[in-house]
Structures are given as C-alpha cells and as structure tokens.
Amino acid sequence: MRQNKEPTVILGVDPGTALTGYGFIVEGPLGELKTLDYGVISTPNGIPLENRLLIIHAELKRLVQLHRPASGAVEKLFFQKNVKTALSVGHARGVVLLALAECGVPIMSYTPNEVKQAVSGYGSADKNQIQQMVKVLLALDDIPRPDDAADALAVAICHLHSRRFENLANEDET
Amino acid sequence: MRQNKEPTVILGVDPGTALTGYGFIVEGPLGELKTLDYGVISTPNGIPLENRLLIIHAELKRLVQLHRPASGAVEKLFFQKNVKTALSVGHARGVVLLALAECGVPIMSYTPNEVKQAVSGYGSADKNQIQQMVKVLLALDDIPRPDDAADALAVAICHLHSRRFENLANEDET
C-alpha cells in the first residue's frame, strides 16, 4: 500500500571550480515536482584555487543547512576526456562530496547517460532536449539558467526517479 | 646581512584517496633540515569516496593544527596521463587544499620536475634516487616509508629550497 510521504527535498549538484550548479527539488503529494531553489555558486577568476574551493565548500554547506535535503546527487565524471579538466572538476567535486558528507547528506552518483535517460527517457538526448525536459518536469516558465543550474536540476530529477523505482520495487517485495 | 630565523615548519603533501602522504620539516639555525613528522593518512578500501575525503580532511587539519606549518606545498598533478586517476587524485587534492586554506596555511604548488630538480639537482632523477636524496638531506637512517610519505617530504624540501632562493634574491636586492 502506498504510504503518505513527507515532502522530500532532493539536491542535485554539478561541480566546477568556476561555477558549481545546484538545484533543490521537492516531490509534492501527487508526485509532482517543484523547484525549491536553484542557481550557481560562482567563484572569481584569478584567485587561488584553494580560495575558490573555500567559497564552494562554505556556500554549499550554507545552502544544505537552509534546505536540509534528504539526499544529494552528483554526476559521475568519468566522461571527462581531458585530463586537465578532469583534475580541475575533481578538485571541486571532492569539496562538494566533503561538504555533503559533513552535513550528513547521503550521496548518490549517476552517469551522464543515467541522467539523460531519467529526464528524457533517451540516453543520447542533447543538451537542449534535456533542458526543455527539466523545464517541463519542474513546470517552470523558462529553461533554468545558467546551464550548470539546469544540469544540477536534471541530476536531482534523475535521483528522484531512481528513488521512485526503488520504492516501487520495495512495494512489490512486501 | 643574514638575520636569525625562527625555525620554520614546512609541510609537504602528496594527495591520494587511498593514501595521502604528509611530511613536516624544519630548517635549523645552520640551514640543516630535520623531519618533525611524516607518514600517510590511510583510508579503508570499500567505503564511499565521501567518507575517505572526510578522513583525509579531518586528519590533515588535526596534523596542521598540531605542527602549525608556516606554509604548505602540494605537487601539481598535470602529469597524470590517466583521466580516471586524475579525477580520483583531484578529489583528494581538492580536499587537501581546502583543509590548508581553512587553517590559513599559504599553499604553493610545484611540478614533479621542480621537485626532482630541487631534491636531486636533476629533473629526470628516478624514484629511488629521489628517495635516497630525501634520506640524505633529512639525515634519516632509512628511506622514509611508504613512498607517499617520501614523496611528501620531497615536496616539502623543494618548497624550502624555493624559499631560500627567494630570500637570497631579496638579500641581493636590498
């Protein structure tokens, strides 16, 4: 039997040293999705990397303490073809994972294909299609900007869909 | 004129998600180098990455608060040829930079060649030669183990040499 659920806040993050996208979404009583908050943590060019990481870490913890997500989702990054980019994104991703773990937020990772599949039902969807689907699924008037925020919301939606499947599977078993 | 110096503690770090090497060295009044502490922060296999990062972050901050280094040196990692390794090391390196920045420790980065050059006077020295030189320069009875600790000490020595050159250059100017 389906149980009444408390509205559950889900966080999606798209890490980067210059821009880290974030999106907090909630699932309403009828399964409808809503955005609670989204945007980017932006760090200035030309400051030392460690100062950028300090900003990302502090700002993400502030947002998590504000919205208290039940869980967080971060994209897996093995798709990075460029070693320099992978290393740079790795720094930001490490600090993002640390901030969530410090706040006791369980973390799931999804591949880019899993995110595309969950949002659009199509693993090879392009960026614009994904963004259109994010807009529709979250009943927004416009595509969320910048791209990093839209990507973060897509990861959050992917995580929420994945939780639904798990719940369905658990219901089947009981 | 050469001024009397307070013994200055320098930290070198070799970041990794499984093993993060660290080495604290001090320069004595006659310019001789001594190890204050060195070792590795080891994290268990099979736990989530974010828990490994929590351990690295907490343990490094504990060590920094204990030894209060004047500055820290971390190897630049652009030499990573493997994207997966670069991403993994990037996570650990991001958390290391964050921990040092949170403790107010100024950070310098050196390329592997700069480290080899500083320790052995030879940019193409092999790992064993570097470790032998670390042993000699720090007047140790044996090569520091494991490799990650020896690498961290090599980075610390590189940073101390670099500071000396800066001091010499400043003396020439005044």
Side-chain angles (χ1 to χ4, degrees):
Chain A
M1 204 183 82
R2 183 162 281 230
Q3 293 168 332
N4 284 331
K5 293 179 209 156
E6 296 264 318
T8 302
V9 179
I10 302 288
L11 165 64
V13 187
D14 180 29
T17 49
L19 292 175
T20 287
Y22 62 88
F24 293 87
I25 63 173
V26 284
E27 189 178 19
L30 303 173
E32 76 279 17
L33 303 186
K34 288 180 190 170
T35 54
L36 190 64
D37 191 6
Y38 67 85
V40 289
I41 302 168
S42 167
T43 67
N45 270 327
I47 65 170
L49 174 57
E50 56 269 26
N51 292 356
R52 297 184 127 176
L53 299 175
L54 276 176
I55 294 169
I56 295 166
H57 181 253
E59 184 62 8
L60 187 61
K61 282 182 85 167
R62 188 187 69 76
L63 289 163
V64 165
Q65 280 154 8
L66 184 67
H67 297 303
R68 305 201 167 275
S71 51
V74 187
E75 208 167 67
K76 280 184 192 162
L77 292 171
F78 64 80
F79 67 100
Q80 297 285 355
K81 288 184 185 93
N82 181 305
V83 174
K84 201 175 164 188
T85 311
L87 190 58
S88 169
V89 177
H91 282 74
R93 195 172 189 272
V95 166
V96 163
L97 296 183
L98 179 79
L100 297 186
E102 285 176 328
C103 295
V105 178
I107 303 166
M108 286 297 297
S109 292
Y110 298 95
T111 67
N113 274 357
E114 285 170 333
V115 174
K116 287 179 185 176
Q117 186 74 40
V119 174
S120 72
Y122 176 49
S124 302
D126 67 25
K127 205 169 187 70
N128 183 51
Q129 288 173 305
I130 297 291
Q131 293 180 344
Q132 290 291 348
M133 288 302 294
V134 166
K135 178 190 152 197
V136 171
L137 288 169
L138 296 174
L140 298 168
D141 292 333
D142 297 298
I143 289 174
R145 298 282 176 214
D147 286 356
D148 309 82
D151 290 347
L153 288 168
V155 178
I157 293 169
C158 171
H159 183 44
L160 217 148
H161 284 196
S162 159
R163 283 169 53 104
R164 279 187 190 165
F165 279 118
E166 276 174 30
N167 290 342
L168 283 173
N170 290 341
E171 281 173 19
D172 286 346
E173 283 166 17
T174 52
Chain B
M1 203 184 84
R2 184 161 281 229
Q3 293 168 331
N4 285 332
K5 294 179 208 155
E6 295 264 319
T8 302
V9 180
I10 301 288
L11 165 63
V13 187
D14 179 30
T17 49
L19 292 175
T20 287
Y22 63 87
F24 293 87
I25 65 174
V26 284
E27 189 178 20
L30 303 174
E32 76 280 16
L33 304 185
K34 288 180 190 169
T35 53
L36 191 64
D37 191 6
Y38 66 86
V40 289
I41 302 168
S42 167
T43 67
N45 270 326
I47 65 169
L49 175 58
E50 56 270 27
N51 293 355
R52 297 185 127 177
L53 299 175
L54 275 176
I55 294 170
I56 295 165
H57 182 254
E59 184 63 8
L60 188 61
K61 281 182 86 167
R62 188 187 69 75
L63 289 163
V64 165
Q65 281 153 8
L66 184 66
H67 297 302
R68 305 202 165 277
S71 52
V74 187
E75 208 168 68
K76 279 185 194 163
L77 292 170
F78 63 80
F79 67 100
Q80 298 285 355
K81 289 185 184 91
N82 180 304
V83 174
K84 200 174 163 188
T85 310
L87 190 57
S88 169
V89 176
H91 282 75
R93 195 171 188 276
V95 165
V96 163
L97 296 183
L98 179 78
L100 297 186
E102 285 176 328
C103 295
V105 178
I107 303 167
M108 285 297 296
S109 294
Y110 298 95
T111 67
N113 274 358
E114 285 171 332
V115 175
K116 287 178 186 176
Q117 186 74 41
V119 173
S120 73
Y122 175 49
S124 303
D126 67 26
K127 205 171 187 68
N128 182 51
Q129 288 173 306
I130 297 292
Q131 293 180 345
Q132 291 290 349
M133 288 303 293
V134 167
K135 178 190 153 198
V136 171
L137 288 169
L138 296 173
L140 298 169
D141 291 333
D142 297 298
I143 288 173
R145 298 282 178 213
D147 285 357
D148 310 81
D151 291 346
L153 288 168
V155 179
I157 292 169
C158 172
H159 183 44
L160 216 147
H161 284 195
S162 160
R163 284 168 53 105
R164 279 187 190 165
F165 279 117
E166 276 174 29
N167 290 343
L168 283 174
N170 290 340
E171 280 173 21
D172 285 347
E173 283 166 14
T174 52

